Amino acid sequence: MPSLLWFRRDLRLRDHPALVAAAEGDRHVLACFVLDPRLEASSGPRRLQFLGDSLRQLKSDLNGRLLVTRGRPEKRIPQLARAIDASAVHISEDFAPFGRRRDDLVRESLGSVPLVATGSPYLVSPGRVLKDDGTPYKVFTPFFRRWREVGWRPPAESGAPSAQWLDPAKAAVAQCEIPDPGATLDLPAGEEAARSQWQAFIDDGLHGYDSDRNRPDLAGTSRMSAHLKFGTIHPRTLVSDLNSRSRSDGAYLRELAFRDFYAAVLHYWPDSAWWNLNRNFDAIDTDTDATAERRFEAWKAGETGYPIVDAGMRQLREAGFMHNRVRMIVASFLVKDLHLPWQWGARWFLEQLVDGDMANNQHGWQWCAGSGTDAAPYFRVFNPVTQGEKFDPAGDYIRRWVPELRDVDDPHLRKATRPPAYPEPIVDHAAERVEALRRYGDIS
């Protein structure tokens, strides 16, 4: 009997355990992807473009034998399984709250046909890294130590050559067009693009990663986040090229561990997607009035009058990406200079980012707000001017994204005259730092 391979966050053919399981015994396999209208509506045009481009590449790699259909998975997957008389439906396991609810519904709707989960998007899946008493970690450092002890498997063998791919027409299920919203991306999508991007980083960027990764003015990061989000490459593939004894390789491995850590935290505390992990922070005083709304709009538009903040927000708006150091700076500015709820910023990021990932995004925001795991101490308030000077010393990043400052000798505006076309600061950082400490102090 044939099997059904349901692609989700694993849009590749290599290093794909679920594909290997589906093709076991030279079984016939129908490859499918279900466009869930709920996820389409929440993806934003750039993330939807990256998804569509990745699906088109996957379909090409399968010589056209990828069935793409639109609808609720608990309806479409059982329909497809019945159409080909599938012995099983194979997936990579999803640990996010939405994915777990969706898969429970699909499993129930399939009845006697098993939903078989093999592998996941992570190096070490949630549930495998636990304390001695069997409880999950809320602090990264001990999690990291145990994570390395638990370890991970080598890249999976390729199941694609042994799979006998079924013609989607045999399923007699309505297919749909792959999304193509026409958004411009600053990096190509798909498995081959992912492997090419990774190889270029290995050749030219990895050696300096430890020293350059915090510099938005340099090409010091791998830009693999969107590929990891959509599974056009698996982190096992990346780690197989790393030497953990190297400082830069070790620093990169640590970032992959953070990805697994945040996925595990969201898995065990699903409410932390939109609520403070530390519920004491529910009592903090945030601004939500008309003035707050105006300041939020200025922040989104990159019109705050603080160059490094505005550069980051304009990069986000124009490219759907923002350097991680700058993400921390703009997040700190929103919650501690503007006193706005972190959820406002998290929602905007998810709307704009190509690599928008619920676990990474929400818990990165909570780190900055002080309400999450390993949270930044409430008294740590990033100074946007000194942060810019430290991590973009010559101002090249600012000049790239804030054209009003391209001809200014000091784009950090510590010494230079502010050009008339560039806005005045919407708040005074020194005063708002004092106010932030007062508000945080009220709940400490």
Side-chain angles (χ1 to χ4, degrees), residues 166-243:
L166 288 174
D167 184 347
K170 294 182 183 291
V173 170
Q175 299 188 55
C176 69
E177 292 293 325
I178 294 174
D180 191 3
T184 301
L185 302 178
D186 68 344
L187 77 167
E191 182 173 11
E192 289 309 315
R195 287 178 170 267
S196 177
Q197 177 75 23
W198 176 244
Q199 189 59 54
F201 178 67
I202 289 287
D203 293 342
D204 300 324
L206 181 59
H207 65 281
Y209 179 76
D210 185 48
S211 58
D212 296 345
R213 64 191 179 93
N214 275 311
R215 293 278 301 274
D217 57 327
L218 304 176
T221 63
S222 68
R223 291 299 308 271
M224 297 305 297
S225 54
H227 290 295
L228 290 170
K229 158 69 181 175
F230 288 96
T232 50
I233 199 167
H234 196 279
R236 276 186 309 262
T237 303
L238 310 187
V239 170
S240 66
D241 289 325
L242 298 180
N243 174 2

Side-chain angles (χ1 to χ4, degrees), residues 81-144:
R82 288 193 298 269
I84 64 169
D85 194 21
S87 59
V89 177
H90 291 268
I91 59 171
S92 299
E93 191 162 7
D94 195 333
F95 291 92
F98 176 88
R100 289 162 61 194
R101 292 192 299 269
R102 175 202 60 206
D103 290 352
D104 286 344
L105 288 173
V106 170
R107 189 174 286 107
E108 181 180 352
S109 299
L110 280 170
S112 61
V113 179
L115 183 66
V116 180
T118 310
S120 80
Y122 305 104
L123 263 178
V124 185
S125 299
R128 292 185 58 208
V129 181
L130 300 170
K131 300 177 186 176
D132 290 338
D133 63 2
T135 60
Y137 289 94
K138 280 189 177 181
V139 178
F140 175 72
T141 300
F143 172 91
F144 184 43

